[in-house]
Amino acid sequence: AVGGDDLVLRPANCPHHALVYAARRHSYRELPVRFNELGAMFRAERSGVLSGLSRVRQISLDDTHVFCRPDQVEDEVVRALRSALNAHQILGLGVDYVRLSRRDDGPAYLGSPEEWGAAEETLRRAASSVLNGDLELVDATGEAAFYGPKLDLQVRDGRGHEETIATVQVDFVLPQRFDLTFDAADGSRPHVVMVHRGTVGSMERVVAALLERYQGRLP
């Protein structure tokens, strides 16, 4: 407790943004709704994997959640991917390739095979239209989050170690669990789809990449 208030360390911003969205009803005309936060998050990283600024226990995360209709998902993924690629180009931080992180046949994933198939195909179409052959799109089975597939921007550092520096994820599970709906034109109340997106991801990791890229001579 601090000053009489009980504080909790949160591992993710996603449920908090979901509750903000759920605080009132939304019409299909309002969507998409986008919430962004540069939020402090915490991970119980083992001491053996902590490394300078690139892997830390407290993260300052550039985090956006988009609440949209199913027919808006592809456009939102395109917008998010273009934004992330453009930001890294401006910073002079090259992206080696984009990874389409898909599910495998294991039991750890939530949602139906049909939902997964549709979401993965949406990500593939969006990535293909943005990358247009300039960057490779690599399939990675088993690298998906448990709640949906994602596009990961991958880079290799000077040691050859690979990191994910930004991500775009399609989530149909959290809206179902939190009953996040919208008022449709036909009077029904279907669930929204969440798109999790980070333009530059972790501030600490970006600073580490900039220090390495410019040898300490920051732009």
Side-chain angles (χ1 to χ4, degrees), residues 41-48 50 52 55-59:
M41 291 172 29
F42 301 85
R43 289 180 180 169
E45 299 280 17
R46 298 184 304 277
S47 60
L50 294 174
R55 189 168 292 275
V56 293
R57 285 178 172 151
Q58 178 177 328
I59 310 161

Side-chain angles (χ1 to χ4, degrees), residues 47 68 82 87 113 148 153 197:
S47 60
C68 61
R82 280 182 176 153
L153 275 63
R197 53 176 282 192

Side-chain angles (χ1 to χ4, degrees), residues 182-193:
F182 64 95
D183 295 325
D186 62 2
S188 63
R189 296 190 66 190
H191 288 107
V192 297
V193 178

Side-chain angles (χ1 to χ4, degrees), residues 9-75:
L9 301 183
R10 63 181 181 178
N13 298 323
C14 322
H16 300 261
H17 291 180
L19 290 175
V20 174
Y21 177 87
R24 67 174 181 85
R25 290 176 69 159
H26 298 269
S27 164
Y28 71 97
R29 296 185 183 91
E30 295 177 65
L31 302 182
V33 172
R34 305 182 187 96
F35 296 141
N36 172 266
E37 180 176 1
L38 184 60
M41 291 172 29
F42 301 85
R43 289 180 180 169
E45 299 280 17
R46 298 184 304 277
S47 60
V49 299
L50 294 174
S51 177
L53 285 170
S54 62
R55 189 168 292 275
V56 293
R57 285 178 172 151
Q58 178 177 328
I59 310 161
S60 302
L61 193 66
D62 160 40
D63 211 4
T64 299
H65 294 96
V66 182
F67 302 85
C68 61
R69 304 188 310 262
D71 64 285
Q72 296 173 320
V73 173
E74 188 168 339
D75 284 345

Side-chain angles (χ1 to χ4, degrees), residues 4 28 57 73 84 90 113 139 141 143 147 162 168-169 184 186 192 195:
Y28 71 97
R57 285 178 172 151
V73 173
I90 290 169
D139 264 27
T141 302
E143 292 294 334
Y147 50 80
E162 191 173 302
V168 185
Q169 306 176 4
D186 62 2
V192 297
V195 177

